[in-house]
Amino acid sequence: MAVWALGINHTTAPLDLRGRFAFALDQIAPTLQGLRQALNQSGSPRGVESAIISTCNRTEIYCAGEQAALDHTLGWLARSGGVSPDVLRSHSYVLENGPVARHAFRVASGLDSMVLGEAQILGQMKDAVRAAESAGALGSTLNQLFQRSFAVAKEVRTSTEIGAHSISMAAAAVRLASQLFEDLERTRVLFVGAGEMIELCATHFAARNPASLAIANRTLERGEKLATRFGGTVMRLADLPERLHEFDIVVSCTASSLPIVGLGAVERALKKRRHRPMFMVDLAVPRDIEPEVKQLEDVYLYTVDDLASVVQTAQAHRQAAVAQAEAIIDAGVQSFMHWMEQRDPEHGVVPLIQQLQQQTDAWRAAEIARAKKRLARGEDIDSVLDALSRGVAQKMLHGTLAELRNSDPAARAQTVDTATRLFLRTQSKKPL
């Protein structure tokens, strides 16, 4: 089996390009079906396993099959995003076998994130794996890869301080807002969306006791639930353009494929505010807020990429934890590759183990059948059991004894060493 991965992330591709390849969680199943159909039609053997991880910072495709199909995978992803394969290739990374495992383990552990050590990616990976499993796209190889990823991530978090010195996107947004507004307790904050990231941001801003807090969401019920938790109010997304001027801080993160806050709406809001400054954070990929808004004089707009420099703190403390985490990941990669090698029909030990078990089962069955016949003739049970055990032992030792008697001196020495290790292991141990 071959394992391969193709991806783009915050270090290889700009925000707008990443937005072309963003897949909502409910899109994963049909998207995986399209990918697998494309790979089958391209000549790849049927039964290719696949999974897609899509977050604001990355889109990654993981596959496993009889042979790697990196070019076909890249071609399919390029078509899905409406760009040429050459453009995608210049902003992507392709991995195969061992490097795939290392990358997956680093992603799950938070070592490949914009916020080093952040824990949110692990939950996103688990959601992606469940989606792939529900779509019937996950097989034993990728399942093993991801389950080992989760185990490695857990060990990294329990054995190192990788997450102790990280600053989340939400905390970074609060820090930037504090630089613009002297007193956050006098600000009015609007959150657009009601997902996990908005919930995290609302938690951080609510801790600073703003003057008011509101949630704008397509589904009022979900918005009301979040607003109630933080003592805020809820509004319909359709009312946003008319009420935007009421808020000093706007944080948006939805799954919309098109911007929901346009340049015109912000310009009208500024006019009503008499050009009092607005702080806006767009954490969505694709963008929720039109990029032209950033050019307005009284607006301070930050995207996920803009927050990168803010979260790079406590570098010395993090690097020590990174070294420990990388050692754990190294061990995990070696273990996974050993598992892969064992399953290789040409070079692995699993086929040999199966043959040995089949042979010993045949010997055992033959001796049991012979013993049953002797018992049926009325022979003494003790002599029958003695003959059965001798028969099994002789069959198991026949090949080894034949090699010891008939091989040349060099081969005989090797057989002696092997036989000693296999059959005399406990006897050959010397007392301490």
Side-chain angles (χ1 to χ4, degrees), residues 19 192 218 237 252-262 282 284-291:
V192 184
R218 294 188 191 279
L237 203 57
S252 186
C253 186
T254 74
S256 175
S257 58
L258 296 172
I260 56 178
V261 180
D282 186 355
V285 180
R287 297 174 188 260
D288 277 347
I289 303 174
E290 288 185 344

Side-chain angles (χ1 to χ4, degrees), residues 20-339:
R20 287 178 170 271
F21 301 99
F23 300 101
L25 192 59
D26 58 3
Q27 295 177 311
I28 296 296
T31 302
L32 284 173
Q33 291 177 358
L35 168 61
R36 300 178 79 198
Q37 288 174 0
L39 291 178
N40 289 335
Q41 291 170 0
S42 70
S44 299
R46 292 191 174 274
V48 172
E49 304 175 31
S50 59
I52 296 176
I53 297 172
S54 183
T55 73
C56 59
N57 288 330
R58 72 183 66 247
T59 293
E60 296 179 342
I61 297 174
Y62 292 82
C63 296
E66 293 182 12
Q67 59 190 36
L70 285 166
D71 288 340
H72 294 305
T73 307
L74 186 141
W76 173 86
L77 185 60
R79 290 192 298 275
S80 71
V83 302
S84 71
D86 289 339
V87 169
L88 179 58
R89 186 176 287 108
S90 66
H91 290 284
S92 63
Y93 41 91
V94 292
L95 306 165
E96 193 171 352
N97 296 328
V100 175
R102 181 176 303 282
H103 181 76
F105 294 174
R106 296 186 83 254
V107 170
S109 301
L111 268 66
D112 195 64
S113 298
M114 182 182 290
V115 182
L116 183 65
E118 61 94 5
Q120 187 180 14
I121 183 62
L122 183 58
Q124 292 169 329
M125 287 184 71
K126 289 181 177 180
D127 288 341
V129 170
R130 281 192 287 266
E133 191 170 20
S134 298
L138 209 64
S140 60
T141 300
L142 285 190
N143 184 64
Q144 189 74 207
L145 172 69
F146 287 119
Q147 294 307 319
R148 288 171 181 260
S149 297
F150 304 152
V152 166
K154 181 179 180 180
E155 184 176 356
V156 166
R157 296 198 178 281
T158 55
S159 303
T160 76
E161 295 186 356
I162 193 66
H165 309 285
S166 66
I167 298 180
S168 70
M169 288 290 181
V174 172
R175 177 177 293 189
L176 286 172
S178 299
Q179 294 174 3
L180 179 61
F181 301 104
E182 292 184 3
D183 188 358
L184 290 183
E185 292 186 0
R186 297 182 179 180
T187 61
R188 296 166 62 86
V189 187
L190 171 65
F191 298 98
V192 184
E196 184 177 354
M197 180 58 76
I198 288 296
E199 184 177 358
L200 183 62
C201 288
T203 301
H204 280 74
F205 275 98
R208 303 297 291 269
N209 298 314
S212 68
L213 186 152
I215 306 291
N217 196 51
R218 294 188 191 279
T219 307
L220 276 182
E221 182 180 357
R222 185 165 182 177
E224 286 174 350
K225 183 178 180 181
L226 192 58
T228 301
R229 176 180 169 187
F230 296 107
T233 59
V234 65
M235 58 184 282
R236 294 183 183 278
L237 203 57
D239 298 332
L240 179 60
E242 297 303 319
R243 296 190 56 187
L244 190 59
H245 67 281
E246 300 175 14
F247 303 97
D248 307 297
I249 298 171
V250 178
V251 182
S252 186
C253 186
T254 74
S256 175
S257 58
L258 296 172
I260 56 178
V261 180
L263 176 63
V266 179
E267 288 177 328
R268 290 191 296 273
L270 286 173
K271 188 175 181 179
K272 291 180 180 179
R273 290 173 60 83
R274 297 182 180 179
H275 292 277
R276 284 182 291 114
M278 293 181 69
F279 176 80
M280 307 184 80
V281 180
D282 186 355
L283 297 176
V285 180
R287 297 174 188 260
D288 277 347
I289 303 174
E290 288 185 344
E292 293 79 7
V293 170
K294 196 167 189 175
Q295 306 305 318
L296 297 177
E297 186 174 347
D298 299 305
V299 174
Y300 298 83
L301 172 61
Y302 294 87
T303 67
V304 287
D305 288 357
D306 295 327
L307 296 180
S309 60
V310 181
V311 301
Q312 300 305 315
T313 59
Q315 188 70 23
H317 293 287
R318 291 203 309 266
Q319 288 309 312
V322 167
Q324 293 176 308
E326 294 286 10
I328 294 171
I329 289 170
D330 285 342
V333 172
Q334 292 178 8
S335 176
F336 177 71
M337 293 309 297
H338 178 66
W339 179 82

Side-chain angles (χ1 to χ4, degrees), residues 325-383:
E326 294 286 10
I328 294 171
I329 289 170
D330 285 342
V333 172
Q334 292 178 8
S335 176
F336 177 71
M337 293 309 297
H338 178 66
W339 179 82
M340 288 281 288
E341 290 168 0
Q342 285 186 323
R343 299 176 73 238
D344 186 342
E346 294 184 6
H347 307 291
V349 299
V350 171
L352 177 59
I353 291 173
Q354 292 173 340
Q355 291 176 0
L356 288 172
Q357 289 174 335
Q358 291 171 359
Q359 181 64 79
T360 53
D361 285 344
W363 288 338
R364 189 169 57 87
E367 292 303 320
I368 289 175
R370 184 175 291 109
K372 287 181 177 179
K373 290 180 180 179
R374 295 183 61 182
L375 288 173
R377 292 197 297 265
E379 295 188 26
D380 178 64
I381 188 171
D382 289 334
S383 62

